[in-house]
Amino acid sequence: NPQIYAVEHKEIAFELGKIVQEVVNENKRRSNGSTSKKFSKRINECSLEAIKHFSYFLACFDQKMFEDIFEHQEVAVACLYAQFYIANLYGNMVHSNPENQVEYWRKSKSGYEKVVSLRRRILEPDSKSFRQEFEICNEFIPLLTQKINHLHYKKE
């Protein structure tokens, strides 16, 4: 049955993204805050790999299906998590070139804004589902704006 394969494919992509994200977290822990090229490269490569898996998971939902998933709360929340993880991964990437760093932060901010917008659309305001992540998004958006502005104007 092709639909069973499609469901498993989505689940595998999501789980691979989470596994690689754990590798990113472990590399960050091992780096002890170091911004050496070795750790930055490893963290960035793993982050991009995890982003690829989460993005594939989201891409498995065509536009019509994506509109319909919001009727299925569990799938909608999984999509929120995938988008949240992508935003978080971009926010943790490190680059020695300020323009590239700003680009990572912009992608992170954009991802968090998308999460906030989607959550408001698909979950009730008093829903406990995804509440902590929603609050993190609302905290990170202005912080990333400040970081972007600081780094952008610092170079001028």
Side-chain angles (χ1 to χ4, degrees):
N1 186 348
Q3 282 197 317
I4 291 174
Y5 172 75
V7 169
E8 288 178 355
H9 216 248
K10 291 174 200 172
E11 289 174 3
I12 290 168
F14 188 87
E15 290 304 319
L16 281 172
K18 285 182 70 171
I19 290 166
V20 178
Q21 183 181 30
E22 286 302 315
V23 172
V24 170
N25 293 338
E26 180 61 23
N27 281 317
K28 282 177 54 183
R29 188 188 64 72
R30 285 185 181 178
S31 75
N32 291 324
S34 168
T35 55
S36 75
K37 285 187 178 185
K38 175 185 171 187
F39 281 111
S40 296
K41 183 179 178 186
R42 191 176 301 153
I43 289 169
N44 291 350
E45 287 173 352
C46 290
S47 293
L48 290 172
E49 183 69 21
I51 288 166
K52 180 180 86 175
H53 292 299
F54 287 126
S55 296
Y56 180 80
F57 168 79
L58 291 170
C60 286
F61 301 99
D62 62 26
Q63 189 57 40
K64 172 149 178 30
M65 185 186 285
F66 198 76
E67 292 167 7
D68 294 341
I69 66 164
F70 297 121
E71 295 175 17
H72 306 287
Q73 200 77 8
E74 187 177 306
V75 175
V77 171
C79 289
L80 280 173
Y81 273 106
Q83 188 61 54
F84 176 78
Y85 295 147
I86 290 170
N88 182 268
L89 287 158
Y90 274 123
N92 287 320
M93 291 176 71
V94 178
H95 203 285
S96 58
N97 179 331
E99 289 179 23
N100 289 352
Q101 188 63 56
V102 166
E103 187 58 32
Y104 292 148
W105 289 341
R106 282 188 177 133
K107 288 180 179 183
S108 179
K109 180 183 172 214
S110 173
Y112 286 129
E113 289 169 338
K114 192 181 289 186
V115 170
V116 167
S117 173
L118 285 173
R119 187 191 185 277
R120 287 185 176 140
R121 247 182 55 212
I122 63 175
L123 297 175
E124 296 296 322
D126 60 343
S127 172
K128 292 189 188 331
S129 183
F130 205 76
R131 180 175 294 284
Q132 185 176 11
E133 292 81 1
F134 181 68
E135 290 171 5
I136 290 170
C137 292
N138 283 318
E139 289 175 17
F140 273 38
I141 291 168
L143 290 174
L144 284 166
T145 301
Q146 288 177 347
K147 287 173 81 169
I148 291 166
N149 289 337
H150 176 73
L151 195 58
H152 179 73
Y153 294 117
K154 182 179 173 182
K155 69 177 178 126
E156 292 180 354

